[in-house]
Amino acid sequence: MPTNAIGGRNIQDWKAIALSGVAGGVAGCVAKTVVAPLDRVKILFQTSNPDFQKYAGTWSGMFRAVGEIYQDRGVRGLLQGHSATLLRIFPYAAIKFMAYDQVHHFLMPTPSQETNIRRFIAGASAGTVSILFTYPLELIRVRLAFETRSASNPTFRPTLSHVISQVYHEGKSSTTASSSRSRIFTTFPILKFYRGFSVSIIGMIPYSGTSFLMWGFLRSHFLPRPSLETSSNGKALSTSRSRPKPTPVADLALGGLSGAVAQTVSYPFEIIRRRMQVGGIISPDQWMSWKDTVQMIWNKNGWRGFYVGLSIGYVKIVPMTAVSYAVWEWGKRFLNV
């Protein structure tokens, strides 16, 4: 038995956990970079940025919006806010995939114990843990992507420090912010970095849970692990001589389908979250609760308002999730996890 142990686990166990996190973090960064231009346009549509509302609602509008941003600011415009994305996504993806591996092992140590409910719980738990640690970085990223060139200041380009300062000082100069909610956020400005946090947690449960559920379900059918039986001396024996070899193409296909289903289930929550995250820009002197935000979206666009940008969401989420899962699996195989 290894003598080097921490918290009941040997050093090899902790090394495997850390390497799983590294593979997940790299996977997240690669996937987000692949879809960064689409991600920015999606945020502009979801948050009803007035400069881009004329493009929302159609497939061609998505590409016209990308073209306008590229013509106006080039590649830098398409990647605006991407530095904050990478700053957030590495720890987010690392924690999410690492947590999923651990919860999955705890709930389903053998293939015979895998169920769709347990897969969902493992995925939802992993997503919730990751967002708890990285949410302020997500809000800053959205604010960076939301900012566009104004007529009064055509050369303005938001920076990370500018957005952090803007969020921190929102509402301080207002004389009308008299509600108890406003006073709380004036007294504790750091909480302004958690606009939309509650609805993010609510939305993360169906998104991450469904994504990992579908990933596990599809892999169990197309790339099943060998089932195990126990011999008379207690040793685990495989009842399957071989298993289909996982390939990057298979990982991409299964990951893309998992992402599409998860996006469909959770998209309304994402719309609400985005609107709350940019609430400090649209209504700097009023704290919009998730109920207020839902009512505002419904009054303006009805049920369709909760699905604005869904088409571009599919165009973005399918390749992003496919690449994320594929790179994660490749990374674990490469690192021998």
Side-chain angles (χ1 to χ4, degrees):
M1 181 176 179
T3 57
N4 294 328
I6 303 174
R9 289 178 179 265
N10 61 50
I11 297 301
Q12 283 299 112
D13 288 339
W14 288 111
K15 181 181 178 181
I17 293 171
L19 290 177
S20 175
V22 170
V26 171
C29 290
V30 173
K32 275 292 187 180
T33 301
V34 168
V35 299
L38 297 176
D39 200 22
R40 179 157 193 234
V41 173
K42 180 184 173 186
I43 290 173
L44 292 171
F45 284 1
Q46 288 179 327
T47 55
S48 296
N49 185 292
D51 296 332
F52 287 86
Q53 276 300 285
K54 59 183 179 287
Y55 298 127
T58 65
W59 281 86
S60 62
M62 172 185 67
F63 298 105
R64 288 160 60 197
V66 170
E68 178 178 320
I69 295 172
Y70 180 78
Q71 185 176 11
D72 188 35
R73 292 194 174 185
V75 176
R76 291 184 69 184
L78 293 173
L79 297 179
Q80 183 172 305
H82 190 55
S83 58
T85 297
L86 296 180
L87 184 65
R88 163 195 168 263
I89 201 63
F90 186 88
Y92 169 82
I95 292 170
K96 182 178 74 171
F97 284 116
M98 185 168 53
Y100 176 76
D101 268 345
Q102 296 309 299
V103 178
H104 183 280
H105 178 71
F106 176 76
L107 294 177
M108 300 166 280
T110 65
S112 62
Q113 293 174 297
E114 291 192 9
T115 66
N116 287 335
I117 292 204
R118 288 176 178 173
R119 291 178 182 126
F120 183 90
I121 292 173
S125 300
T128 301
V129 169
S130 62
I131 205 171
L132 279 170
F133 287 97
T134 61
Y135 188 80
L137 294 172
E138 161 70 2
L139 183 135
I140 293 168
R141 177 187 75 94
V142 171
R143 290 295 188 86
L144 278 167
F146 179 82
E147 295 282 3
T148 55
R149 191 192 305 272
S150 64
S152 60
N153 191 0
T155 61
F156 171 72
R157 186 174 187 272
T159 62
L160 191 64
S161 59
H162 166 79
V163 170
I164 292 174
S165 176
Q166 181 188 50
V167 174
Y168 187 83
H169 292 97
E170 280 170 357
K172 283 191 174 182
S173 60
S174 172
T175 58
T176 60
S178 57
S179 69
S180 59
R181 187 183 292 121
S182 297
R183 287 196 297 270
I184 289 173
F185 288 97
T186 301
T187 305
F188 304 102
I190 194 67
L191 296 180
K192 296 173 185 177
F193 291 91
Y194 282 85
R195 285 180 182 266
F197 178 73
S198 58
V199 75
S200 294
I201 290 291
I202 295 172
M204 179 56 68
I205 291 173
Y207 176 77
S208 188
T210 302
S211 180
F212 278 108
L213 182 157
M214 291 301 300
W215 172 252
F217 173 79
L218 292 171
R219 284 180 67 85
S220 69
H221 279 70
F222 295 102
L223 300 171
R225 290 189 293 166
S227 57
L228 299 177
E229 288 183 353
T230 303
S231 65
S232 57
N233 62 2
K235 186 176 180 181
L237 299 174
S238 172
T239 61
S240 176
R241 294 184 178 180
S242 63
R243 61 176 294 191
K245 185 178 180 181
T247 64
V249 173
D251 290 335
L252 285 168
L254 301 184
L257 183 56
S258 301
V261 175
Q263 178 80 344
T264 304
V265 170
S266 64
Y267 196 77
F269 295 103
E270 187 173 352
I271 288 286
I272 298 167
R273 175 167 60 103
R274 297 297 192 207
R275 294 293 182 88
M276 292 183 72
Q277 287 174 332
V278 300
I281 298 175
I282 299 172
S283 304
D285 300 327
Q286 179 184 6
W287 180 269
M288 297 284 288
S289 68
W290 70 270
K291 291 182 179 179
D292 297 330
T293 305
V294 168
Q295 190 64 47
M296 179 188 68
I297 296 171
W298 179 265
N299 291 340
K300 184 176 180 181
N301 301 111
W303 67 269
R304 294 179 183 275
F306 295 97
Y307 291 93
V308 172
L310 180 58
S311 58
I312 191 175
Y314 285 131
V315 174
K316 170 207 160 186
I317 207 70
V318 170
M320 187 188 77
T321 311
V323 171
S324 180
Y325 279 124
V327 175
W328 178 48
E329 287 293 332
W330 173 86
K332 290 200 296 182
R333 289 193 290 266
F334 178 79
L335 295 172
N336 196 29
V337 178

